[in-house]
Structures are given as structure tokens and as C-alpha cells.
Amino acid sequence: MNNKSMLLMASLSFPMIGMAADYTNIVLINLDDVGFGDFSCNGAYGYTTPNIDQLSAQGVRFTHFLAGQPISGASRAGLLTGCYPNRIGFFGAPGPGSDYGVHPDEMTIGEVVKQRNYATAIFGKWHLGDAPEFLPLQNGFDEYYGLPYSNDMWPFHPQQGEVFNFPDLPTYEGNKIVGYNTDQTKFTTDYTRRSIQFIKKNQNKPFFLYLAHSMPHVPLAVSDKFKGKSEQGLFGDVMMEIDWSVGEVMKTLRDLGLEEKINIR
């Protein structure tokens, strides 16, 4: 079973001159395969997650909930459309070259908020189909950088050749593939850097940022700045870097005066 964790930060901004009404900026952070006890506020030890702990202390925590399905692709279909995955023909975790993905008749959060002139972006893992019509730019997002599916769906899977036969793992920039089998130690930092750039670029208009970290789904990978920093090995290092990422996003919102009110769900 895949454990999923979601942090929803709604940064309430006030209207600029000439705007008709208030608007809400949305930052949705999704961690892949993290468990309830993997944050220090929930009992993790050997490392700390102070930024996530602070959000937990200041926001609203939901401790009893169900996912649409306990697996990557289908749960993300439910998250981004608000529909039960089975009802919209979405099941399991679509792999490379899958013949199904997010249905064109379904509206993602991105498509909904774009009706109110929001800027939208996803940085990280998509997993709603890798055919061109299923990719983010065709489903409500202005910007996309990341992986089309799980980071273990590549030629270095431990069961490659026995159970799986995965091709090279593409990294996308928009609708274009910009690399294969990218060094995964860079992902958390790259997703964070792009998220900060997106926030700064759109600070004076409504925006929806979907930061969908590939970690801590295996294979685990961490940048040099956090390598060996925890007492829980590579996993702890990864969690510390994810917490750093959340902190950098929050700091950006504060520095830009967009943190007037934050709700965590």
C-alpha cells in the first residue's frame, strides 16, 4: 500500500487596485509514499521536520481520511479531479506508454482555477498518463517540469528484466522531453527552485502551484547538502530535504507578503 501525504496551503491575498474581488493563492504540496510517522511532529526520530511541524501546529490537521485508491496514479486522479478514480476509468499506476490517463471530459483543479485567470504550474511527479493528450499542459497547467510517472519506472529498477521492462525515464519541460534517467539527487532542489520562481513571477496575480515531490518514493536520492545529515540514513536525509523545501516555499510567501493567512489541510 502506498501512503500519501498532502499539505494544502491557501495563501489569502487581498485585491490590488482595479481587481473586483479577493482571491486565494493555492499551494498544494504532495509527497509520494511518505507515512504518518515520518514527520517529527508525529513521532519520527533521528531527524526533524521543523517546517512541516510548524505548519501542523499553526494549521488544521486531518488525521483520519481515505484516499481514492492506495496507489500513485489513481490517487492523484482523485486528488486533481475530485472524483473517485474508478468512476472516471482510472485505476492503478499507469506506466510508460499507458493507453489511459486523465479523461478529457474531467476538469482538474488547474482547469477550474484557470476559469478565474489563475496562473498554474506543476513541478514534480504527474502520473496521470504520459501520452501527449494526458500531460499537464493539456489539462489546466501553464508550466510543467518533472516526471510523467514514478521515479522507479526506469531501467535501473531492481526487478528490471525479471518482472519489468521499463524504458529510459524521461524528464519533461512543458510538452518536451529534456533528458532521460536524470540524476535524481537534483529533483527536490530543482522542483523547489522552480516553485519559488513561479511564485515570484506571479506574486501580483492569482496562482495555483502544485509541488508534487518524487520523494520519498524509492529509489531514494538526496542532494549533497543533506547527504549524511540524519541519524536515519538516506531516508532521514531525504525527509530533511523535503522539509527544507517546504520551508523555502513558506519563506518565499512570507518575503513577498503573501502569508497573511495559511490553512493546512
Side-chain angles (χ1 to χ4, degrees):
M1 175 177 290
N2 289 359
N3 295 311
K4 303 295 174 190
S5 181
M6 176 181 67
L7 306 174
L8 175 59
M9 299 180 285
S11 174
L12 304 185
S13 300
F14 296 93
M16 299 176 292
I17 295 174
M19 291 191 68
D22 295 355
Y23 61 86
T24 301
N25 295 324
I26 304 168
V27 179
L28 173 60
I29 303 178
N30 194 9
L31 311 184
D32 200 338
D33 272 12
V34 74
F36 179 84
D38 293 336
F39 308 111
S40 48
C41 60
N42 291 336
Y45 58 91
Y47 62 90
T48 59
T49 54
N51 296 300
I52 294 173
D53 293 355
Q54 183 178 5
L55 292 181
S56 176
Q58 295 178 343
V60 177
R61 301 175 68 227
F62 293 88
T63 58
H64 295 79
F65 57 88
L66 296 174
Q69 280 192 27
I71 196 165
S72 298
S75 64
R76 288 161 194 265
L79 171 65
L80 288 181
T81 66
C83 298
Y84 287 114
N86 300 63
R87 189 187 71 76
I88 58 175
F90 209 106
F91 55 92
S98 175
D99 60 357
Y100 72 95
V102 60
H103 196 280
D105 291 342
E106 298 299 330
M107 295 190 71
T108 67
I109 301 174
E111 289 172 303
V112 171
V113 299
K114 281 189 72 64
Q115 295 178 347
R116 301 299 298 270
N117 298 317
Y118 274 61
T120 57
I122 166 179
F123 303 117
K125 175 182 173 180
W126 176 241
H127 218 167
L128 295 185
D130 65 336
E133 64 269 27
F134 300 141
L135 292 174
L137 266 59
Q138 284 69 257
N139 289 280
F141 291 90
D142 301 320
E143 299 183 31
Y144 170 46
Y145 173 82
L147 303 180
Y149 33 76
S150 294
N151 62 327
D152 65 337
M153 293 180 171
W154 66 340
F156 309 108
H157 193 285
Q159 294 178 298
Q160 179 78 354
E162 300 174 3
V163 178
F164 302 110
N165 187 27
F166 291 126
D168 291 329
L169 174 62
T171 299
Y172 276 82
E173 176 93 52
N175 285 323
K176 296 181 179 180
I177 295 174
V178 294
Y180 289 96
N181 302 327
T182 303
D183 179 3
Q184 297 198 20
T185 65
K186 300 178 179 179
F187 280 144
T188 300
T189 296
D190 284 350
Y191 298 162
T192 305
R193 176 175 56 83
R194 288 170 179 268
S195 295
I196 290 171
Q197 291 172 346
F198 175 78
I199 293 172
K200 290 180 176 179
K201 181 173 66 176
N202 296 287
Q203 62 183 288
N204 293 319
K205 64 180 295 186
F207 63 80
F208 168 44
L209 167 63
Y210 178 33
L211 173 52
H213 281 295
S214 297
M215 304 295 158
H217 194 290
V218 294
L220 297 173
V222 70
S223 69
D224 288 341
K225 61 182 176 293
F226 285 96
K227 189 175 183 180
K229 297 297 184 181
S230 81
E231 298 175 7
Q232 291 290 359
L234 182 56
F235 181 84
D237 299 346
V238 166
M239 290 302 299
M240 290 178 66
E241 185 164 33
I242 290 172
D243 183 76
W244 163 84
S245 171
V246 172
E248 290 297 295
V249 170
M250 294 304 299
K251 180 179 183 297
T252 302
L253 293 171
R254 285 194 299 271
D255 290 348
L256 297 176
L258 299 175
E259 197 203 21
E260 280 117 6
K261 186 176 181 181
I262 298 292
N263 294 321
I264 317 309
R265 293 184 175 88

